[in-house]
Amino acid sequence: MLLIFLALLAFYVAWNLGANDVANSMGTSVGSKAITLRQALAIAGILELSGAVLFGGRVSETLATSIVEGDRFAETPYLLLAGMVSVMLACGIWLQIATSRGWPVASSHAVVGALAGFSAVAAGWGAVDWTTIATISIGWILTPAISAAIAACFYTLIKRWILDHPHPLQQLQEWIPWLSAALLGIFGAIVLPEIVEPLRQWLQVRFAIAIPAHNLPVVVGSVAAVSLCWVSWRQLDRLPETPADVAPDGESRFDSRIERQLARFQVLSACFVAFAHGSNDVGNAVAPLAAIAYIRRTGLVPQGDFHVPVWVLLVGGIGIVAGLAVWGKKVIGTVGERIVALQPSSGFCAELATATTVSIASRLGLPVSTSHALVGGVIGIGLASDWRSIQWATLRGIFLAWLITVPIAAILGASIFSIVHLL
């Protein structure tokens, strides 16, 4: 019964995480009108859950075993259990407050802050692995910078060679293979090896076909890129000629056919961001639950042999999807419409940069902030196009929310732990 209650508590955290953080995967697509909000909810639901189940274990293991010095709780594992309950409550409460305000805060900040807060109260400052926190904090700083740089580079190339070219439609036809290769190559190199590994092993066991580890992902990725290229060419040929959209000053802003075609690429990039987000941020919701389940099963503090059960990842993945569906609209509006006015071409670049940054972090087991990555990508677009178009007032609110998340979560975690421990 207690484990069911704790699973519901983890679901509550994942619910609030989904309502807040999934805006990072779909906000730019909705803001640029590439897809509707209802379509965004359906796409994100499938891919967030897939990413959480397939790749969510690494980050969950990092959070459950590397922030808190487990040796300090070796004699009192149930004290650690009480602390993990406090972490879930602290994260859920803060994420709910932030979502109600429309702030795209970082759930990774919240969980790390709450873990540090309860550990310091429970076993002293030495119970916190400050080296790991420093490494994660450096990732938080680098994430928006790296994402902004990638997004700015992509958008500068597309603007220079397609959007601002005298013959943009012809240029897009020539660039479709490169865009397809970039989109599927980056994501495929990071994710495909692990997705197709079970198939490679099955072929080897069942039919004695020994395929080198990286050959199958290369073949699958190549076929996917060629297929996307061929489909995109056919779609571009079928698009009716329409007048260019017009900016407020009366000058032609962009060719509608080009933007409609790039909108399709943006939807794919949004899918990759959703998958990357599910693989990274589900750990923020379920790492405490995974640690609690381990303590209840073994009576020991999680150590090197710790692995996250699939049912725990499912709780987190389903909670993320449910939170997005019920309460995700506010933050989607902030990210997609209130930082920089986005078109499909610029939204595609921001999402591709975000997916690249977060997927690499997930493979390394680093709990980076998807919020940082996407906001950084959107800022990169603004700097590459016109820095005056950036809504700095919105950014100030977002940055402030980022700064206060760690101390607020730490205070909440420490306070709730003190109450739970007394009870």
Side-chain angles (χ1 to χ4, degrees):
M1 183 61 72
L2 177 61
L3 194 58
I4 293 174
F5 167 75
L6 295 173
L8 290 174
L9 183 56
F11 183 88
Y12 164 71
V13 178
W15 172 290
N16 286 294
L17 189 153
N20 193 288
D21 265 16
V22 181
N24 302 315
S25 59
M26 291 294 154
T28 53
S29 293
V30 175
S32 69
K33 307 299 188 292
I35 54 176
T36 65
L37 180 61
R38 181 172 296 181
Q39 290 170 330
L41 297 177
I43 294 169
I46 296 170
L47 291 165
E48 289 276 346
L49 184 59
S50 301
V53 173
L54 293 174
F55 285 91
R58 281 197 182 95
V59 174
S60 300
E61 290 161 15
T62 298
L63 290 171
T65 62
S66 300
I67 305 298
V68 178
E69 292 285 1
D71 294 342
R72 294 294 187 103
F73 297 93
E75 301 297 325
T76 55
Y78 283 90
L79 192 65
L80 179 61
L81 187 152
M84 290 299 180
V85 173
S86 306
V87 168
M88 287 194 286
L89 283 169
C91 290
I93 291 169
W94 172 241
L95 288 174
Q96 184 170 353
I97 292 170
T99 303
S100 68
R101 304 285 297 177
W103 296 335
V105 298
S107 56
S108 55
H109 287 200
V111 70
V112 169
L115 282 167
F118 108 77
S119 300
V121 170
W125 292 101
V128 182
D129 188 339
W130 297 108
T131 302
T132 299
I133 289 184
T135 302
I136 293 171
S137 300
I138 291 172
W140 291 341
I141 296 170
L142 292 178
T143 296
I146 293 172
S147 186
I150 295 173
C153 289
F154 272 124
Y155 187 64
T156 299
L157 286 173
I158 288 178
K159 196 169 185 296
R160 168 70 177 80
W161 293 105
I162 300 176
L163 301 179
D164 292 342
H165 196 273
H167 306 288
L169 197 61
Q170 180 181 341
Q171 284 295 106
L172 179 58
Q173 289 176 326
E174 294 179 5
W175 271 81
I176 278 176
W178 297 104
L179 295 177
S180 301
L183 182 62
L184 293 172
I186 291 171
F187 187 77
I190 298 168
V191 174
L192 271 181
E194 292 201 26
I195 291 180
V196 301
E197 180 61 21
L199 174 61
R200 189 183 75 86
Q201 293 180 355
W202 179 78
L203 289 173
Q204 186 168 354
V205 172
R206 183 71 176 81
F207 300 103
I209 301 175
I211 302 175
H214 295 288
N215 285 20
L216 199 56
V218 169
V219 171
V220 173
S222 300
V223 171
V226 170
S227 301
L228 177 60
C229 181
W230 180 75
V231 170
S232 299
W233 273 330
R234 288 178 62 87
Q235 290 174 336
L236 192 60
D237 290 338
R238 292 174 181 172
L239 285 176
E241 292 191 18
T242 57
D245 288 333
V246 176
D249 59 7
E251 294 184 2
S252 176
R253 187 172 63 185
F254 55 82
D255 188 307
S256 291
R257 290 174 297 172
I258 290 174
E259 291 294 340
R260 277 184 287 163
Q261 184 59 44
L262 288 175
R264 296 187 172 100
F265 280 91
Q266 186 187 7
V267 172
L268 282 176
S269 63
C271 292
F272 293 165
V273 176
F275 189 94
H277 176 269
S279 67
N280 194 282
D281 282 30
V282 71
N284 300 328
V286 302
L289 176 62
I292 289 169
Y294 182 92
I295 293 169
R296 284 178 56 82
R297 186 176 71 252
T298 65
L300 302 172
V301 171
Q303 297 293 343
D305 62 340
F306 172 75
H307 296 289
V308 180
V310 173
W311 72 265
V312 172
L313 295 173
L314 278 171
V315 168
I318 294 170
I320 285 174
V321 174
L324 168 69
V326 175
W327 210 19
K329 186 176 181 179
K330 264 198 170 183
V331 180
I332 283 180
T334 298
V335 173
E337 300 172 357
R338 296 176 199 155
I339 299 176
V340 173
L342 294 171
Q343 303 156 8
S345 54
S346 54
F348 163 65
C349 295
E351 288 175 346
L352 188 59
T354 302
T356 303
T357 306
V358 177
S359 294
I360 292 172
S362 295
R363 286 297 300 271
L364 297 174
L366 294 175
V368 299
S369 167
T370 315
S371 300
H372 284 198
L374 188 67
V375 171
V378 174
I379 292 173
I381 297 300
L383 294 175
S385 55
D386 180 8
W387 65 270
R388 290 168 297 186
S389 66
I390 299 174
Q391 300 295 319
W392 297 105
T394 300
L395 285 179
R396 278 194 296 271
I398 292 173
F399 290 154
L400 177 61
W402 287 356
L403 287 173
I404 65 176
T405 291
V406 172
I408 287 180
I411 293 169
L412 280 172
S415 302
I416 293 172
F417 172 78
S418 300
I419 296 171
V420 170
H421 187 50
L422 286 175
L423 295 176

